[in-house]
Amino acid sequence: MAMHIQMVGTGSAFAKKYDNNNALIETGGFRLLVDCGITLPKALHQMGFSFPELDAVLISHIHGDHVGGLEELAFQMMFKYNRKPVLYIADTLIEPLWEHTLKGGLTQETLNKLEDFFVVRPLEANKDIALAPGLHVKLLQTKHIQNKPSYSFLFNQRFFYSADMRFDGGLLQELVEQGISTIFHDCQLEAPGVVHASLDELLTLPESVQRKTWLMHYGDAIEDYEGRTGHMRIVRPHERYEV
């Protein structure tokens, strides 16, 4: 079954041109939102989509450019559409998402827990899980911020989507050897890459890995790097790719 990805935004946390790095994955009529950042509600609207058209949202980690739009998603779905959105999330992220991010804004009267606003579907890392017919995901915990769990996603055992992760050439090489056909990877354009893989680091990857790698989550200066990304290609916002 064909699977497609369309980026709602491709920008880094500080980018102003490209919106937060959030994505739509579609297969067999099922539409999954990957992360829901601060700019997501407006960017999704500009693409012609509304929240009820999403079948579920999958969260990678607790940073504003990945979860900052969840409050609006919850409120719109509750008060405009009278239903709860489905939230897929690593079991280790459920408590911090509520206690450190959403509780202050969402709590009102008897509504005082995450499950009051979402149909929460906890996910266990390193386990292949069916989200819908033809769509499986495995969460891989990858390094981003110390003591702050962050997960990348392996879809259908063929498509690797890093959320935010430091450079890990060994993992990328291993994934390609296992048969991964496409990698969408976050890319910090300027070195050093402290909490993200930098372009300089990604350029050290073997050609066989680079040819499968697409760059996303980049800064506003991406136009200056055209032709300077080796064999890696640049993911464009709103373009639809089969993966």
Side-chain angles (χ1 to χ4, degrees):
M1 186 181 296
M3 178 171 64
H4 294 85
I5 185 169
Q6 186 175 22
M7 302 303 295
V8 184
T10 55
S12 68
F14 303 145
K16 298 297 179 279
K17 294 181 183 178
Y18 299 104
D19 292 317
N20 295 152
N21 196 87
N22 305 160
L24 296 172
I25 289 182
E26 298 182 60
T27 184
F30 184 86
R31 182 177 290 128
L32 176 71
L33 175 65
V34 180
D35 284 331
C36 184
I38 296 166
T39 66
L40 183 282
K42 182 178 180 181
L44 192 71
H45 173 75
Q46 291 173 334
M47 289 176 65
F49 292 104
S50 60
F51 283 136
E53 295 177 88
L54 306 175
D55 292 293
V57 57
L58 172 66
I59 295 301
S60 62
H61 67 293
I62 314 301
H63 272 157
D65 55 323
H66 296 265
V67 298
L70 286 176
E71 180 178 308
E72 182 173 343
L73 170 61
F75 277 144
Q76 274 208 39
M77 291 300 292
M78 175 172 286
F79 296 116
K80 289 183 66 175
Y81 304 107
N82 196 33
R83 65 183 175 90
K84 297 179 185 179
V86 175
L87 175 66
Y88 287 105
I89 183 170
D91 48 15
T92 59
L93 297 179
I94 293 173
E95 182 179 359
L97 176 63
W98 178 252
E99 293 294 334
H100 302 303
T101 301
L102 295 179
K103 183 177 181 178
L106 286 179
T107 297
Q108 52 185 289
E109 299 178 350
T110 61
L111 305 173
N112 55 23
K113 58 184 182 298
L114 189 64
E115 291 78 7
D116 289 332
F117 298 93
F118 296 93
V119 178
V120 181
R121 302 278 175 81
L123 301 180
E124 183 180 341
N126 303 313
K127 183 177 181 181
D128 193 58
I129 299 166
L131 304 184
L135 182 60
H136 288 240
V137 68
K138 179 186 287 188
L139 274 62
L140 304 178
Q141 187 166 356
T142 45
K143 294 180 180 179
H144 180 38
I145 303 290
Q146 189 173 2
N147 300 321
K148 195 169 186 137
S150 183
Y151 297 87
S152 296
F153 304 122
L154 183 56
F155 292 102
N156 290 357
Q157 296 295 326
R158 70 173 187 264
F159 173 46
F160 178 74
Y161 181 99
S162 82
D164 289 0
M165 64 176 278
R166 301 180 209 169
F167 181 67
D168 189 343
L171 173 62
L172 299 177
Q173 181 75 53
E174 180 182 341
L175 289 170
V176 169
E177 291 171 355
Q178 292 174 357
I180 294 300
S181 61
T182 308
I183 296 168
F184 272 31
H185 205 296
D186 56 312
C187 176
Q188 181 175 310
L189 298 175
E190 302 85 7
V194 179
V195 297
H196 293 279
S198 70
L199 177 59
D200 286 351
E201 290 172 317
L202 291 166
L203 284 168
T204 68
L205 292 169
E207 180 179 334
S208 59
V209 179
Q210 286 193 34
R211 289 192 179 278
K212 297 179 184 292
T213 301
W214 295 71
L215 305 178
M216 61 180 186
H217 202 289
Y218 41 71
D220 286 337
I222 187 64
E223 293 91 347
D224 297 337
Y225 290 82
E226 297 279 359
R228 298 166 55 189
T229 61
H231 299 284
M232 298 177 289
R233 288 161 285 182
I234 298 169
V235 182
R236 306 297 180 181
H238 306 174
E239 288 194 17
R240 198 164 183 261
Y241 302 90
E242 184 171 350
V243 291

